[in-house]
Amino acid sequence: MKKHNFSAGPCILPQEVLLKASESVMDFNGSGLSLIEISHRSKDFVEVMETTRSLALELLGLEGKGYTALFLHGGASMEFLMVAYNLLETKAGYLNTGTWSDKAIKEAKLFGEVIEVGSSKDENFKYIPKGYNVPSGLDYLHLTSNNTIFGTQVKKFPTTDSPLVCDMSSDIFSRQLDFSTFDLIYAGAQKNMGPAGTTLVVVKEEILGKVSRQIPSMMDYKAHISKDSMFNTPAVFPVYVSMLTMQWLKDMGGIPAIEEINKKKSRLLYSEIDLSPVFDGYANKADRSHMNATFNLTDDKLKETFDSMLKEAGINGLNGHRSVGGYRASMYNALSLESVGVLVDIMSEMERKG
Ligand SMILES: *Cc1c(COP(=O)(O)O)cnc(C)c1O
């Protein structure tokens, strides 16, 4: 039986994407060769890379606006340091909204001064700080748009005169934003775009080349741009599957269409959390993530029953992260409204038992 996959990452991908991807592993486009045994310099793969890069810009509405899309190695974690390597000359601002921004801050401190413009550490990152002051003249301001672990999401981005950098790993392509207000966006593929192994970086070229330090080639965005994201052998399979997922998204109407579905899914789940006396939401209501919903049982004695009901219904990946506990339902783009419906049915059955 196919499971309802609420995994936080690596995460669910569309069935049709998995099918096409598995076919291409055996025979890529009828070439008699596997996608993963051909040269990345072959015409066929160069076309995959170029299509993937332009689809990313197209979906974000950033074509012809001075941005480049790259598919790099090392995960979002590598971008924590690459961003600083390429952009941090003296001081940068970071909004600390949880584990991932914390890790980004740690790396940036190796390169220059970091000003934490705001933090929600005082309440274990239950909320997104607001009304914080952003000093002017920063090398850049860094935010994490969606906090995968704590289940919070930035709804309104600050205005700043500095370049705006955003880790969008867990909500890329899930909601409409004016993406042109960002100067650099990065996202590990495995949350909402493809398998683990590649990272999307969308960068406005004019912000590069301003730091005085020497940058090793593999860390240098300019080196990757000049080689069309093929400075070294790219992660051919993750890039290809990301392309298929983006095509799937484009065919259904792009970000506006998926946002509607994502809203329905999260509304359904959060209304159950709010109405039910046996469940408590973790994140502050105003800052709740549409992608990762965090919640707890009000009575831990119900855990065994609830867990076995989840298992029986084929629900996978609902355990909360160890730093929050409880449950976390990740509702990425490829998760259907039906799957959320199955979860909500079980939660309301739990309410009757509880
Ligand atoms: C998962 C995640 C990361 C880390 O991604 P890796 O690709 O494993 O390095 C960083 N930021 C956010 C918001 C994440 O959800």
Side-chain angles (χ1 to χ4, degrees):
M1 184 182 86
K2 184 71 190 166
K3 299 215 167 143
H4 302 283
N5 191 0
F6 288 84
S7 174
C11 77
I12 185 168
L13 290 169
Q15 270 311 107
E16 61 194 83
V17 166
L18 294 179
L19 186 64
K20 181 89 194 287
S22 61
E23 284 168 6
S24 302
V25 168
M26 294 316 296
D27 183 2
F28 179 46
N29 289 348
S31 64
L33 293 166
S34 167
L35 166 76
I36 56 177
E37 63 177 12
I38 59 170
S39 167
H40 61 292
R41 308 276 177 209
S42 66
K43 188 175 149 288
D44 282 352
F45 187 75
V46 170
E47 196 177 306
V48 167
M49 180 57 101
E50 285 313 300
T51 306
T52 317
R53 295 174 73 201
S54 62
L55 270 171
L57 294 182
E58 187 185 338
L59 286 168
L60 298 172
L62 292 177
E63 280 172 312
K65 292 183 178 167
Y67 291 83
T68 299
L70 300 169
F71 284 86
L72 305 181
H73 298 281
S77 301
M78 182 74 95
E79 297 317 305
F80 296 162
L81 68 110
M82 252 176 111
V83 162
Y85 226 136
N86 284 265
L87 303 176
L88 181 46
E89 181 77 7
T90 50
K91 59 179 192 292
Y94 278 72
L95 183 66
N96 191 354
T97 51
T99 309
W100 298 118
S101 19
D102 227 12
K103 291 189 177 193
I105 289 168
K106 178 169 177 262
E107 300 304 305
K109 280 182 175 165
L110 299 171
F111 297 88
E113 187 188 339
V114 169
I115 298 168
E116 254 185 57
V117 297
S119 170
S120 48
K121 203 171 196 150
D122 57 345
E123 289 189 38
N124 199 29
F125 304 113
K126 257 184 195 174
Y127 68 99
I128 301 287
K130 289 167 206 77
Y132 49 89
N133 175 47
V134 181
S136 65
L138 297 169
D139 291 327
Y140 60 90
L141 174 66
H142 180 285
L143 274 85
T144 310
S145 57
N146 185 70
N147 299 281
T148 326
I149 293 173
F150 300 94
T152 61
Q153 191 172 30
V154 177
K155 309 290 175 186
K156 197 172 172 293
F157 289 85
T159 45
T160 166
D161 59 3
S162 310
L164 189 54
V165 175
C166 194
D167 175 0
M168 293 194 187
S169 291
S170 54
D171 67 352
I172 187 94
F173 305 137
S174 73
R175 59 169 166 166
Q176 297 183 81
L177 290 172
D178 180 0
F179 294 99
S180 70
T181 57
F182 301 92
D183 297 274
L184 191 151
I185 295 166
Y186 62 90
Q190 73 276 15
K191 302 280 165 50
N192 215 11
M193 183 168 65
T198 193
T199 315
L200 169 65
V201 174
V202 174
V203 57
K204 198 169 200 177
E205 287 186 50
E206 69 184 29
I207 68 166
L208 299 174
K210 298 193 174 157
V211 289
S212 54
R213 75 174 60 84
Q214 288 202 312
I215 306 173
S217 310
M218 270 297 278
M219 292 289 104
D220 188 352
Y221 291 126
K222 284 183 146 230
H224 291 284
I225 292 170
S226 72
K227 299 292 184 197
D228 297 323
S229 203
M230 295 256 213
F231 178 81
N232 72 326
T233 316
V236 290
F237 187 68
V239 169
Y240 177 72
V241 182
S242 299
M243 179 191 83
L244 294 180
T245 311
M246 285 186 228
Q247 268 162 354
W248 166 83
L249 180 55
K250 184 183 165 182
D251 290 347
M252 75 158 67
I255 295 177
I258 201 77
E259 182 178 33
E260 278 312 301
I261 301 170
N262 288 337
K263 275 186 186 159
K264 280 189 190 144
K265 292 189 296 193
S266 64
R267 237 183 263 137
L268 180 62
L269 181 56
Y270 283 122
S271 66
E272 173 61 27
I273 291 172
D274 289 340
L275 288 172
S276 170
V278 299
F279 294 103
D280 251 348
Y282 177 78
N284 270 21
K285 282 189 187 179
D287 304 320
R288 280 173 166 174
S289 164
H290 295 315
M291 294 274 99
N292 315 91
T294 44
F295 57 97
N296 293 279
L297 279 163
T298 47
D299 179 356
D300 265 347
K301 285 200 286 292
L302 301 173
K303 183 169 163 54
E304 213 173 303
T305 315
F306 186 53
D307 287 352
S308 70
M309 284 161 72
L310 292 173
K311 197 165 175 216
E312 206 162 301
I315 288 179
N316 172 64
L318 215 71
N319 277 340
H321 189 271
R322 60 192 177 279
S323 50
V324 181
Y327 297 92
R328 169 174 54 169
S330 298
M331 299 174 281
Y332 296 118
N333 285 353
L335 185 84
S336 67
L337 183 59
E338 288 70 35
S339 286
V340 179
V342 171
L343 172 60
V344 166
D345 284 348
I346 288 175
M347 291 170 75
S348 46
E349 202 180 317
M350 193 67 232
E351 194 181 324
R352 285 190 293 275
K353 290 188 180 177

